[in-house]
Amino acid sequence: MQRLAPALRQDNVPLDLISLIKTILAATKEISFRVSQGHLSDLMGSTLDENIQGEVQKELDVVANELLKDILLESGFVKAISSEEEDTSVAGEKDGKYLVSFDPLDGSSNIEINSLIGTIFSIHEAPSDMDASDPDMFKQAGNKQICAGYVLYGPSTMLVMTTGSGTHFYVLDRTHGGFLLVERNVQVPTDTQEFAVNMSNQRFWQAPMQNYISDLLAGDTGPRGKNFNMRWIAAMVGDIHRVLTRGGLFTYPQDSKNPKQPHKLRLMYEANPMSFLIEQAGGLAMTSEGRIMDMQPNSIHQRVEVIMGSKNEVEACLAYYK
Ligand code: AFP
């Protein structure tokens, strides 16, 4: 099995980007260890703080954020970082070439139940003419990402990453401490009979999503003429990993539960990196109005509607909005 750096060199990834990726992964190996320690790490509880999204921070969220932030800002490659757990961007090296956005621990409600969680990251080139402390540097569309990925802390620790030459799977080999390539050019099956959505929000969805899901639930007696299965992990990393592995449709649609917040998922460190991975694997990543990666961000913590996965199923869903 190929090690990470040779695999990246084979895709012509520049050496300093490879070094940056290895820097991110050094932090995730430490996070993986802390996660695997469970209750032994004494990090299972909540802090007394809330992040800018108004969510109570878990101790492991805070530790994962500090590990990534410190190692990235000290690396010399990074002009600034932005994180789910930081109110605004944090300046790094003034001549740093890269911007890194990350969700240090996605799916943190799964921490206490010993279920899937992961780290999501997205890398853009840093504009050379802007100040490192200017958060507007991050207002770049997803189609400008040069690398995106996640590290999934499951029964094995996996890295799923793209640098624009396909989406590849790696597994952390603890015997030598590195990530080994286990599957190159993963492909999302075009058709699927599986979907992922938080059904408890059904009554708050817009009519097209209500109608689409009703037709899936009607199975082979309904207009789709086939039965569908449903899965919900409550961690986008887990749900997207399943979609990349065996296909499916994943959605967090617009809802009216909280009129001030019609969308749940974050554009910069959830939807954009996952869209890059899904598209590089032959899937589609959309809102009901267009391609996620073509959206012009207006803030670091912007939220967005997400409908992504197997191409034909995403198109079937979007047809209800026409
Ligand atoms: P947290 O990381 O704050 O726990 O949120 C996870 C998440 O943003 C995403 O990973 C899940 O798909 C989604 O929220 C789960 O949402 P529900 O709470 O509606 O299940």
Side-chain angles (χ1 to χ4, degrees):
M1 270 176 259
Q2 208 173 12
R3 296 177 73 130
L4 178 85
L8 292 173
R9 283 201 295 274
Q10 193 177 322
D11 287 343
N12 297 318
V13 179
L15 285 180
D16 48 4
L17 181 54
I18 294 179
S19 299
L20 171 57
I21 291 167
K22 287 169 89 173
T23 304
I24 294 172
L25 296 180
T28 65
K29 286 181 206 169
E30 180 65 27
I31 298 168
S32 173
F33 174 71
R34 309 266 181 127
V35 169
S36 72
Q37 288 289 90
H39 287 80
L40 305 180
S41 71
D42 212 17
L43 294 172
M44 299 295 281
S46 297
T47 66
L48 296 175
D49 299 325
E50 286 186 353
N51 64 17
I52 189 147
Q53 341 271 335
E55 299 159 344
V56 175
Q57 290 177 305
K58 300 276 166 57
E59 286 172 272
L60 211 48
D61 277 330
V62 174
V63 168
N65 186 57
E66 293 300 320
L67 283 167
L68 279 158
K69 183 170 82 169
D70 291 350
I71 201 167
L72 285 170
L73 295 181
E74 284 165 15
S75 70
F77 300 112
V78 176
K79 188 156 180 173
I81 60 112
S82 71
S83 159
E84 182 186 13
E85 306 303 336
E86 300 287 334
D87 295 359
T88 185
S89 61
V90 185
E93 177 63 41
K94 74 176 175 25
D95 298 320
K97 277 179 74 171
Y98 300 108
L99 302 177
V100 184
S101 307
F102 56 87
D103 180 350
L105 264 193
D106 178 58
S108 36
S109 68
N110 282 350
I111 293 173
E112 65 199 8
I113 61 166
N114 196 17
S115 188
L116 285 180
I117 47 179
T119 296
I120 310 175
F121 58 91
S122 160
I123 306 176
H124 281 89
E125 275 171 3
S128 54
D129 56 347
M130 292 175 83
D131 193 87
S133 60
D134 187 346
D136 284 350
M137 284 193 300
F138 284 88
K139 293 183 184 168
Q140 300 187 42
N143 58 33
K144 298 253 165 44
Q145 290 172 106
I146 54 171
C147 175
Y150 59 82
V151 176
L152 183 68
Y153 309 113
S156 62
T157 291
M158 288 190 75
L159 164 69
V160 176
M161 188 169 65
T162 183
T163 52
S165 310
T167 294
H168 313 314
F169 283 178
Y170 303 80
V171 171
L172 178 60
D173 178 2
R174 294 189 197 276
T175 58
H176 76 73
F179 285 91
L180 298 181
L181 181 66
V182 291
E183 197 173 340
R184 189 174 258 286
N185 289 322
V186 173
Q187 290 295 307
V188 179
T190 314
D191 290 293
T192 184
Q193 288 178 232
E194 200 160 62
F195 67 98
V197 68
N198 184 343
M199 284 297 297
S200 69
N201 294 326
Q202 184 176 22
R203 68 191 185 282
F204 302 109
W205 298 335
Q206 295 173 301
M209 188 54 78
Q210 299 264 8
N211 295 336
Y212 167 67
I213 297 289
S214 296
D215 286 352
L216 299 190
L217 296 177
D220 58 7
T221 60
R224 297 299 304 277
K226 57 181 184 177
N227 292 325
F228 283 80
N229 192 13
M230 199 207 86
R231 288 284 183 270
W232 187 247
I233 292 176
M236 193 184 190
V237 277
D239 281 309
I240 294 302
H241 192 66
R242 187 187 56 257
V243 170
L244 283 166
T245 303
R246 67 175 190 218
L249 178 130
F250 170 87
T251 181
Y252 215 110
Q254 178 169 329
D255 66 50
S256 57
K257 202 167 162 183
N258 171 1
K260 289 195 190 130
Q261 187 187 295
H263 307 125
K264 165 127 190 190
L265 300 183
R266 278 52 63 105
L267 177 63
M268 304 300 290
Y269 40 81
E270 290 181 321
N272 268 341
M274 294 309 198
S275 296
F276 197 13
L277 293 167
I278 288 280
E279 286 197 8
Q280 284 290 316
L284 278 184
M286 309 289 286
T287 71
S288 57
E289 292 176 354
R291 185 177 177 231
I292 290 172
M293 286 205 290
D294 288 340
M295 286 180 68
Q296 180 55 42
N298 53 38
S299 80
I300 284 174
H301 299 294
Q302 182 174 346
R303 293 174 190 261
V304 65
E305 180 181 42
V306 169
I307 305 168
M308 61 170 71
S310 294
K311 183 171 176 294
N312 287 348
E313 201 49 48
V314 172
E315 283 171 351
C317 174
L318 294 178
Y320 286 74
Y321 288 86
K322 295 216 172 97

